[in-house]
Amino acid sequence: RGHRYNKYTGDMIDFKQLPDWVMPIAKTTGMANVGASLYKMTPGCILPTHSDTYEAYKKIHKITHNRVRRLVVFLEDWQSGHYLEVNGHAILNWKAGQWVGWNYSCPHMAANIGDTDRYTMQITGIYEPE
């Protein structure tokens, strides 16, 4: 088999083509200005450690603050080779419907070094700090 690691970030479904069930789920988060996308990582796809700046999101919603939060909802049960790391902590063995989230500028990475596609839903919004 083997992998060629020639693809970074994965594939997003165009927000104009999202299924009807996506936004109702995203709106249950309680965040303001919520947006969502579906994301597919094929085998061999990697997303090295980075911190999101949400520049496009901030421009669309005309905000300058950094109270942006990202949630990743796992759409299928974990499979061997599917990996997520948030702030240095490995996330494995998830079940469909579970999620993990982080606030603005938190370092994270993802990879699919398995044999099957990895599907997630990303939800982005504004939170009020406690």
mmCIF file of all heavy atoms in Angstrom, residues 21-65:
data_model
loop_
_atom_site.group_PDB
_atom_site.id
_atom_site.type_symbol
_atom_site.label_atom_id
_atom_site.label_comp_id
_atom_site.label_asym_id
_atom_site.label_seq_id
_atom_site.Cartn_x
_atom_site.Cartn_y
_atom_site.Cartn_z
ATOM 1 N N TRP A 21 -28.793 18.805 7.477
ATOM 2 C CA TRP A 21 -28.648 18.477 8.900
ATOM 3 C C TRP A 21 -27.485 19.200 9.572
ATOM 4 O O TRP A 21 -27.400 19.225 10.796
ATOM 5 C CB TRP A 21 -28.502 16.971 9.098
ATOM 6 C CG TRP A 21 -27.408 16.327 8.304
ATOM 7 C CD1 TRP A 21 -27.534 15.732 7.075
ATOM 8 C CD2 TRP A 21 -26.026 16.203 8.662
ATOM 9 N NE1 TRP A 21 -26.322 15.253 6.656
ATOM 10 C CE2 TRP A 21 -25.370 15.526 7.608
ATOM 11 C CE3 TRP A 21 -25.278 16.599 9.765
ATOM 12 C CZ2 TRP A 21 -24.012 15.228 7.634
ATOM 13 C CZ3 TRP A 21 -23.920 16.309 9.783
ATOM 14 C CH2 TRP A 21 -23.301 15.626 8.731
ATOM 15 N N VAL A 22 -26.577 19.816 8.820
ATOM 16 C CA VAL A 22 -25.366 20.389 9.399
ATOM 17 C C VAL A 22 -25.652 21.613 10.276
ATOM 18 O O VAL A 22 -25.248 21.662 11.442
ATOM 19 C CB VAL A 22 -24.340 20.732 8.294
ATOM 20 C CG1 VAL A 22 -23.156 21.500 8.862
ATOM 21 C CG2 VAL A 22 -23.859 19.457 7.607
ATOM 22 N N MET A 23 -26.306 22.615 9.764
ATOM 23 C CA MET A 23 -26.502 23.854 10.526
ATOM 24 C C MET A 23 -27.378 23.680 11.769
ATOM 25 O O MET A 23 -27.072 24.281 12.802
ATOM 26 C CB MET A 23 -27.020 24.973 9.633
ATOM 27 C CG MET A 23 -25.955 25.523 8.685
ATOM 28 S SD MET A 23 -24.374 25.943 9.479
ATOM 29 C CE MET A 23 -24.863 27.326 10.492
ATOM 30 N N PRO A 24 -28.432 22.871 11.741
ATOM 31 C CA PRO A 24 -29.168 22.666 12.994
ATOM 32 C C PRO A 24 -28.288 22.094 14.118
ATOM 33 O O PRO A 24 -28.418 22.486 15.273
ATOM 34 C CB PRO A 24 -30.286 21.690 12.603
ATOM 35 C CG PRO A 24 -30.525 21.979 11.158
ATOM 36 C CD PRO A 24 -29.148 22.278 10.602
ATOM 37 N N ILE A 25 -27.367 21.209 13.772
ATOM 38 C CA ILE A 25 -26.433 20.683 14.781
ATOM 39 C C ILE A 25 -25.511 21.793 15.255
ATOM 40 O O ILE A 25 -25.293 21.973 16.454
ATOM 41 C CB ILE A 25 -25.627 19.495 14.221
ATOM 42 C CG1 ILE A 25 -26.550 18.295 14.000
ATOM 43 C CG2 ILE A 25 -24.468 19.141 15.155
ATOM 44 C CD1 ILE A 25 -25.895 17.143 13.266
ATOM 45 N N ALA A 26 -24.965 22.564 14.326
ATOM 46 C CA ALA A 26 -24.032 23.639 14.682
ATOM 47 C C ALA A 26 -24.686 24.654 15.613
ATOM 48 O O ALA A 26 -24.042 25.171 16.536
ATOM 49 C CB ALA A 26 -23.517 24.323 13.422
ATOM 50 N N LYS A 27 -25.958 24.920 15.404
ATOM 51 C CA LYS A 27 -26.649 25.935 16.207
ATOM 52 C C LYS A 27 -26.926 25.472 17.640
ATOM 53 O O LYS A 27 -27.248 26.292 18.491
ATOM 54 C CB LYS A 27 -27.936 26.366 15.511
ATOM 55 C CG LYS A 27 -27.642 27.183 14.259
ATOM 56 C CD LYS A 27 -28.900 27.574 13.526
ATOM 57 C CE LYS A 27 -28.533 28.368 12.279
ATOM 58 N NZ LYS A 27 -29.701 28.754 11.496
ATOM 59 N N THR A 28 -26.774 24.171 17.932
ATOM 60 C CA THR A 28 -26.997 23.684 19.294
ATOM 61 C C THR A 28 -25.827 24.007 20.220
ATOM 62 O O THR A 28 -25.929 23.785 21.427
ATOM 63 C CB THR A 28 -27.226 22.156 19.324
ATOM 64 O OG1 THR A 28 -26.021 21.483 18.941
ATOM 65 C CG2 THR A 28 -28.385 21.753 18.434
ATOM 66 N N THR A 29 -24.744 24.557 19.706
ATOM 67 C CA THR A 29 -23.555 24.810 20.529
ATOM 68 C C THR A 29 -23.723 25.993 21.470
ATOM 69 O O THR A 29 -22.966 26.123 22.421
ATOM 70 C CB THR A 29 -22.331 25.089 19.638
ATOM 71 O OG1 THR A 29 -22.574 26.297 18.890
ATOM 72 C CG2 THR A 29 -22.050 23.934 18.689
ATOM 73 N N GLY A 30 -24.656 26.877 21.177
ATOM 74 C CA GLY A 30 -24.832 28.067 21.992
ATOM 75 C C GLY A 30 -23.877 29.194 21.639
ATOM 76 O O GLY A 30 -23.918 30.256 22.256
ATOM 77 N N MET A 31 -23.033 28.975 20.637
ATOM 78 C CA MET A 31 -22.119 30.035 20.216
ATOM 79 C C MET A 31 -22.840 30.990 19.275
ATOM 80 O O MET A 31 -23.795 30.612 18.597
ATOM 81 C CB MET A 31 -20.891 29.442 19.518
ATOM 82 C CG MET A 31 -20.013 28.619 20.429
ATOM 83 S SD MET A 31 -18.452 28.098 19.640
ATOM 84 C CE MET A 31 -19.009 26.961 18.387
ATOM 85 N N ALA A 32 -22.357 32.218 19.215
ATOM 86 C CA ALA A 32 -22.897 33.216 18.288
ATOM 87 C C ALA A 32 -22.168 33.123 16.949
ATOM 88 O O ALA A 32 -21.046 32.622 16.877
ATOM 89 C CB ALA A 32 -22.719 34.617 18.877
ATOM 90 N N ASN A 33 -22.801 33.627 15.899
ATOM 91 C CA ASN A 33 -22.200 33.673 14.555
ATOM 92 C C ASN A 33 -21.630 32.323 14.140
ATOM 93 O O ASN A 33 -20.529 32.227 13.601
ATOM 94 C CB ASN A 33 -21.105 34.741 14.474
ATOM 95 C CG ASN A 33 -21.638 36.119 14.726
ATOM 96 O OD1 ASN A 33 -22.780 36.432 14.438
ATOM 97 N ND2 ASN A 33 -20.808 36.973 15.308
ATOM 98 N N VAL A 34 -22.379 31.276 14.388
ATOM 99 C CA VAL A 34 -21.887 29.928 14.147
ATOM 100 C C VAL A 34 -21.844 29.620 12.651
ATOM 101 O O VAL A 34 -22.688 30.044 11.877
ATOM 102 C CB VAL A 34 -22.737 28.898 14.929
ATOM 103 C CG1 VAL A 34 -24.123 28.749 14.348
ATOM 104 C CG2 VAL A 34 -22.040 27.579 15.016
ATOM 105 N N GLY A 35 -20.804 28.911 12.275
ATOM 106 C CA GLY A 35 -20.641 28.424 10.919
ATOM 107 C C GLY A 35 -20.150 26.993 10.980
ATOM 108 O O GLY A 35 -19.610 26.563 12.006
ATOM 109 N N ALA A 36 -20.321 26.250 9.916
ATOM 110 C CA ALA A 36 -19.916 24.846 9.930
ATOM 111 C C ALA A 36 -19.398 24.422 8.565
ATOM 112 O O ALA A 36 -19.711 25.037 7.542
ATOM 113 C CB ALA A 36 -21.097 23.970 10.336
ATOM 114 N N SER A 37 -18.616 23.369 8.585
ATOM 115 C CA SER A 37 -18.129 22.761 7.353
ATOM 116 C C SER A 37 -17.921 21.275 7.595
ATOM 117 O O SER A 37 -17.766 20.838 8.732
ATOM 118 C CB SER A 37 -16.829 23.418 6.884
ATOM 119 O OG SER A 37 -15.821 23.249 7.862
ATOM 120 N N LEU A 38 -17.945 20.515 6.526
ATOM 121 C CA LEU A 38 -17.625 19.094 6.582
ATOM 122 C C LEU A 38 -16.243 18.908 5.991
ATOM 123 O O LEU A 38 -15.878 19.550 5.011
ATOM 124 C CB LEU A 38 -18.661 18.279 5.810
ATOM 125 C CG LEU A 38 -20.085 18.343 6.358
ATOM 126 C CD1 LEU A 38 -21.025 17.529 5.483
ATOM 127 C CD2 LEU A 38 -20.137 17.852 7.795
ATOM 128 N N TYR A 39 -15.496 18.001 6.590
ATOM 129 C CA TYR A 39 -14.074 17.871 6.286
ATOM 130 C C TYR A 39 -13.732 16.407 6.088
ATOM 131 O O TYR A 39 -14.135 15.553 6.889
ATOM 132 C CB TYR A 39 -13.312 18.461 7.474
ATOM 133 C CG TYR A 39 -11.842 18.621 7.313
ATOM 134 C CD1 TYR A 39 -11.304 19.521 6.412
ATOM 135 C CD2 TYR A 39 -10.977 17.895 8.112
ATOM 136 C CE1 TYR A 39 -9.935 19.688 6.299
ATOM 137 C CE2 TYR A 39 -9.608 18.058 8.000
ATOM 138 C CZ TYR A 39 -9.100 18.947 7.094
ATOM 139 O OH TYR A 39 -7.744 19.106 6.986
ATOM 140 N N LYS A 40 -12.998 16.108 5.031
ATOM 141 C CA LYS A 40 -12.574 14.738 4.727
ATOM 142 C C LYS A 40 -11.060 14.700 4.601
ATOM 143 O O LYS A 40 -10.480 15.465 3.824
ATOM 144 C CB LYS A 40 -13.212 14.275 3.422
ATOM 145 C CG LYS A 40 -12.725 12.931 2.933
ATOM 146 C CD LYS A 40 -13.498 12.526 1.687
ATOM 147 C CE LYS A 40 -12.587 12.120 0.585
ATOM 148 N NZ LYS A 40 -13.316 11.691 -0.616
ATOM 149 N N MET A 41 -10.435 13.816 5.372
ATOM 150 C CA MET A 41 -9.003 13.559 5.234
ATOM 151 C C MET A 41 -8.845 12.168 4.628
ATOM 152 O O MET A 41 -9.261 11.178 5.231
ATOM 153 C CB MET A 41 -8.277 13.603 6.581
ATOM 154 C CG MET A 41 -8.137 14.970 7.180
ATOM 155 S SD MET A 41 -7.073 14.971 8.660
ATOM 156 C CE MET A 41 -5.502 15.349 7.889
ATOM 157 N N THR A 42 -8.256 12.104 3.463
ATOM 158 C CA THR A 42 -8.001 10.826 2.817
ATOM 159 C C THR A 42 -6.731 10.206 3.397
ATOM 160 O O THR A 42 -5.906 10.908 4.004
ATOM 161 C CB THR A 42 -7.855 11.013 1.299
ATOM 162 O OG1 THR A 42 -6.827 11.974 1.060
ATOM 163 C CG2 THR A 42 -9.166 11.482 0.674
ATOM 164 N N PRO A 43 -6.533 8.897 3.236
ATOM 165 C CA PRO A 43 -5.300 8.276 3.719
ATOM 166 C C PRO A 43 -4.074 8.986 3.140
ATOM 167 O O PRO A 43 -4.029 9.342 1.959
ATOM 168 C CB PRO A 43 -5.409 6.842 3.202
ATOM 169 C CG PRO A 43 -6.892 6.598 3.160
ATOM 170 C CD PRO A 43 -7.466 7.914 2.688
ATOM 171 N N GLY A 44 -3.114 9.236 4.012
ATOM 172 C CA GLY A 44 -1.892 9.913 3.600
ATOM 173 C C GLY A 44 -1.940 11.419 3.729
ATOM 174 O O GLY A 44 -0.958 12.102 3.449
ATOM 175 N N CYS A 45 -3.048 11.966 4.159
ATOM 176 C CA CYS A 45 -3.200 13.408 4.314
ATOM 177 C C CYS A 45 -2.761 13.813 5.716
ATOM 178 O O CYS A 45 -3.122 13.161 6.697
ATOM 179 C CB CYS A 45 -4.653 13.788 4.081
ATOM 180 S SG CYS A 45 -4.947 15.559 4.139
ATOM 181 N N ILE A 46 -1.976 14.871 5.805
ATOM 182 C CA ILE A 46 -1.511 15.355 7.103
ATOM 183 C C ILE A 46 -1.739 16.859 7.217
ATOM 184 O O ILE A 46 -1.753 17.577 6.225
ATOM 185 C CB ILE A 46 -0.021 15.032 7.348
ATOM 186 C CG1 ILE A 46 0.863 15.690 6.292
ATOM 187 C CG2 ILE A 46 0.211 13.534 7.393
ATOM 188 C CD1 ILE A 46 2.351 15.594 6.574
ATOM 189 N N LEU A 47 -1.959 17.302 8.439
ATOM 190 C CA LEU A 47 -2.102 18.719 8.748
ATOM 191 C C LEU A 47 -1.178 18.998 9.933
ATOM 192 O O LEU A 47 -1.536 18.736 11.075
ATOM 193 C CB LEU A 47 -3.560 19.045 9.083
ATOM 194 C CG LEU A 47 -3.902 20.488 9.400
ATOM 195 C CD1 LEU A 47 -3.515 21.408 8.251
ATOM 196 C CD2 LEU A 47 -5.381 20.609 9.692
ATOM 197 N N PRO A 48 0.048 19.465 9.667
ATOM 198 C CA PRO A 48 1.025 19.663 10.740
ATOM 199 C C PRO A 48 0.534 20.651 11.800
ATOM 200 O O PRO A 48 -0.425 21.397 11.584
ATOM 201 C CB PRO A 48 2.245 20.227 10.003
ATOM 202 C CG PRO A 48 2.072 19.808 8.587
ATOM 203 C CD PRO A 48 0.589 19.810 8.354
ATOM 204 N N THR A 49 1.214 20.676 12.916
ATOM 205 C CA THR A 49 0.864 21.558 14.019
ATOM 206 C C THR A 49 0.752 23.001 13.539
ATOM 207 O O THR A 49 1.628 23.504 12.846
ATOM 208 C CB THR A 49 1.915 21.477 15.140
ATOM 209 O OG1 THR A 49 2.002 20.115 15.576
ATOM 210 C CG2 THR A 49 1.540 22.350 16.310
ATOM 211 N N HIS A 50 -0.352 23.630 13.929
ATOM 212 C CA HIS A 50 -0.606 25.019 13.563
ATOM 213 C C HIS A 50 -1.612 25.602 14.542
ATOM 214 O O HIS A 50 -2.228 24.881 15.326
ATOM 215 C CB HIS A 50 -1.138 25.124 12.129
ATOM 216 C CG HIS A 50 -2.496 24.525 11.973
ATOM 217 N ND1 HIS A 50 -2.716 23.154 11.950
ATOM 218 C CD2 HIS A 50 -3.713 25.098 11.868
ATOM 219 C CE1 HIS A 50 -4.005 22.925 11.830
ATOM 220 N NE2 HIS A 50 -4.646 24.088 11.773
ATOM 221 N N SER A 51 -1.781 26.891 14.496
ATOM 222 C CA SER A 51 -2.813 27.589 15.256
ATOM 223 C C SER A 51 -3.623 28.419 14.275
ATOM 224 O O SER A 51 -3.061 29.183 13.500
ATOM 225 C CB SER A 51 -2.195 28.503 16.319
ATOM 226 O OG SER A 51 -1.499 27.756 17.272
ATOM 227 N N ASP A 52 -4.924 28.264 14.292
ATOM 228 C CA ASP A 52 -5.788 29.008 13.381
ATOM 229 C C ASP A 52 -5.858 30.476 13.787
ATOM 230 O O ASP A 52 -5.844 30.805 14.973
ATOM 231 C CB ASP A 52 -7.198 28.422 13.386
ATOM 232 C CG ASP A 52 -7.218 26.980 12.897
ATOM 233 O OD1 ASP A 52 -6.458 26.659 11.971
ATOM 234 O OD2 ASP A 52 -7.994 26.193 13.453
ATOM 235 N N THR A 53 -5.952 31.349 12.805
ATOM 236 C CA THR A 53 -6.109 32.782 13.074
ATOM 237 C C THR A 53 -7.522 33.257 12.756
ATOM 238 O O THR A 53 -7.891 34.353 13.143
ATOM 239 C CB THR A 53 -5.111 33.613 12.248
ATOM 240 O OG1 THR A 53 -5.352 33.371 10.857
ATOM 241 C CG2 THR A 53 -3.669 33.247 12.602
ATOM 242 N N TYR A 54 -8.294 32.466 12.032
ATOM 243 C CA TYR A 54 -9.692 32.757 11.718
ATOM 244 C C TYR A 54 -9.862 34.102 11.017
ATOM 245 O O TYR A 54 -10.877 34.776 11.183
ATOM 246 C CB TYR A 54 -10.552 32.721 12.984
ATOM 247 C CG TYR A 54 -10.397 31.441 13.774
ATOM 248 C CD1 TYR A 54 -9.543 31.384 14.867
ATOM 249 C CD2 TYR A 54 -11.090 30.297 13.412
ATOM 250 C CE1 TYR A 54 -9.396 30.212 15.588
ATOM 251 C CE2 TYR A 54 -10.948 29.118 14.128
ATOM 252 C CZ TYR A 54 -10.094 29.084 15.216
ATOM 253 O OH TYR A 54 -9.944 27.920 15.920
ATOM 254 N N GLU A 55 -8.893 34.505 10.220
ATOM 255 C CA GLU A 55 -8.957 35.819 9.565
ATOM 256 C C GLU A 55 -10.189 35.964 8.682
ATOM 257 O O GLU A 55 -10.863 36.993 8.722
ATOM 258 C CB GLU A 55 -7.674 36.086 8.772
ATOM 259 C CG GLU A 55 -6.445 36.285 9.642
ATOM 260 C CD GLU A 55 -6.595 37.382 10.680
ATOM 261 O OE1 GLU A 55 -7.169 38.450 10.363
ATOM 262 O OE2 GLU A 55 -6.163 37.176 11.826
ATOM 263 N N ALA A 56 -10.505 34.950 7.863
ATOM 264 C CA ALA A 56 -11.682 35.043 6.989
ATOM 265 C C ALA A 56 -12.957 35.099 7.829
ATOM 266 O O ALA A 56 -13.845 35.912 7.557
ATOM 267 C CB ALA A 56 -11.733 33.865 6.030
ATOM 268 N N TYR A 57 -13.042 34.274 8.860
ATOM 269 C CA TYR A 57 -14.217 34.265 9.740
ATOM 270 C C TYR A 57 -14.396 35.634 10.396
ATOM 271 O O TYR A 57 -15.496 36.176 10.427
ATOM 272 C CB TYR A 57 -14.054 33.170 10.799
ATOM 273 C CG TYR A 57 -15.179 33.125 11.799
ATOM 274 C CD1 TYR A 57 -16.319 32.379 11.546
ATOM 275 C CD2 TYR A 57 -15.099 33.828 12.991
ATOM 276 C CE1 TYR A 57 -17.362 32.349 12.458
ATOM 277 C CE2 TYR A 57 -16.131 33.806 13.907
ATOM 278 C CZ TYR A 57 -17.259 33.061 13.633
ATOM 279 O OH TYR A 57 -18.282 33.035 14.539
ATOM 280 N N LYS A 58 -13.299 36.197 10.908
ATOM 281 C CA LYS A 58 -13.367 37.495 11.569
ATOM 282 C C LYS A 58 -13.765 38.601 10.588
ATOM 283 O O LYS A 58 -14.523 39.502 10.936
ATOM 284 C CB LYS A 58 -12.027 37.804 12.242
ATOM 285 C CG LYS A 58 -11.774 36.912 13.461
ATOM 286 C CD LYS A 58 -10.355 36.956 13.941
ATOM 287 C CE LYS A 58 -9.974 38.261 14.555
ATOM 288 N NZ LYS A 58 -8.627 38.242 15.155
ATOM 289 N N LYS A 59 -13.300 38.491 9.366
ATOM 290 C CA LYS A 59 -13.657 39.498 8.354
ATOM 291 C C LYS A 59 -15.138 39.391 7.984
ATOM 292 O O LYS A 59 -15.840 40.403 7.908
ATOM 293 C CB LYS A 59 -12.784 39.306 7.112
ATOM 294 C CG LYS A 59 -13.008 40.349 6.050
ATOM 295 C CD LYS A 59 -12.053 40.168 4.899
ATOM 296 C CE LYS A 59 -12.272 41.227 3.852
ATOM 297 N NZ LYS A 59 -11.349 41.079 2.729
ATOM 298 N N ILE A 60 -15.631 38.175 7.772
ATOM 299 C CA ILE A 60 -17.029 37.967 7.408
ATOM 300 C C ILE A 60 -17.957 38.507 8.493
ATOM 301 O O ILE A 60 -18.959 39.155 8.210
ATOM 302 C CB ILE A 60 -17.312 36.467 7.167
ATOM 303 C CG1 ILE A 60 -16.654 36.016 5.868
ATOM 304 C CG2 ILE A 60 -18.816 36.183 7.130
ATOM 305 C CD1 ILE A 60 -16.609 34.514 5.676
ATOM 306 N N HIS A 61 -17.591 38.255 9.765
ATOM 307 C CA HIS A 61 -18.459 38.655 10.876
ATOM 308 C C HIS A 61 -18.087 40.017 11.470
ATOM 309 O O HIS A 61 -18.663 40.427 12.470
ATOM 310 C CB HIS A 61 -18.453 37.571 11.959
ATOM 311 C CG HIS A 61 -19.087 36.296 11.487
ATOM 312 N ND1 HIS A 61 -20.440 36.154 11.324
ATOM 313 C CD2 HIS A 61 -18.539 35.127 11.102
ATOM 314 C CE1 HIS A 61 -20.698 34.944 10.880
ATOM 315 N NE2 HIS A 61 -19.564 34.299 10.729
ATOM 316 N N LYS A 62 -17.111 40.674 10.848
ATOM 317 C CA LYS A 62 -16.701 42.023 11.264
ATOM 318 C C LYS A 62 -16.372 42.091 12.759
ATOM 319 O O LYS A 62 -16.894 42.925 13.490
ATOM 320 C CB LYS A 62 -17.773 43.049 10.904
ATOM 321 C CG LYS A 62 -18.008 43.155 9.404
ATOM 322 C CD LYS A 62 -19.138 44.113 9.097
ATOM 323 C CE LYS A 62 -19.347 44.312 7.632
ATOM 324 N NZ LYS A 62 -19.714 43.187 6.842
ATOM 325 N N ILE A 63 -15.497 41.175 13.196
ATOM 326 C CA ILE A 63 -15.056 41.176 14.588
ATOM 327 C C ILE A 63 -13.548 41.366 14.652
ATOM 328 O O ILE A 63 -12.827 41.027 13.716
ATOM 329 C CB ILE A 63 -15.464 39.881 15.325
ATOM 330 C CG1 ILE A 63 -14.849 38.650 14.647
ATOM 331 C CG2 ILE A 63 -16.972 39.746 15.408
ATOM 332 C CD1 ILE A 63 -15.042 37.377 15.416
ATOM 333 N N THR A 64 -13.091 41.915 15.752
ATOM 334 C CA THR A 64 -11.652 42.106 15.949
ATOM 335 C C THR A 64 -11.139 41.342 17.168
ATOM 336 O O THR A 64 -9.943 41.172 17.318
ATOM 337 C CB THR A 64 -11.317 43.599 16.122
ATOM 338 O OG1 THR A 64 -12.077 44.116 17.222
ATOM 339 C CG2 THR A 64 -11.649 44.376 14.860
ATOM 340 N N HIS A 65 -12.038 40.877 18.015
ATOM 341 C CA HIS A 65 -11.608 40.161 19.223
ATOM 342 C C HIS A 65 -11.226 38.720 18.884
ATOM 343 O O HIS A 65 -11.400 38.263 17.757
ATOM 344 C CB HIS A 65 -12.711 40.198 20.283
ATOM 345 C CG HIS A 65 -13.999 39.575 19.816
ATOM 346 N ND1 HIS A 65 -14.179 38.223 19.732
ATOM 347 C CD2 HIS A 65 -15.161 40.134 19.399
ATOM 348 C CE1 HIS A 65 -15.389 37.966 19.294
ATOM 349 N NE2 HIS A 65 -16.007 39.116 19.074
#
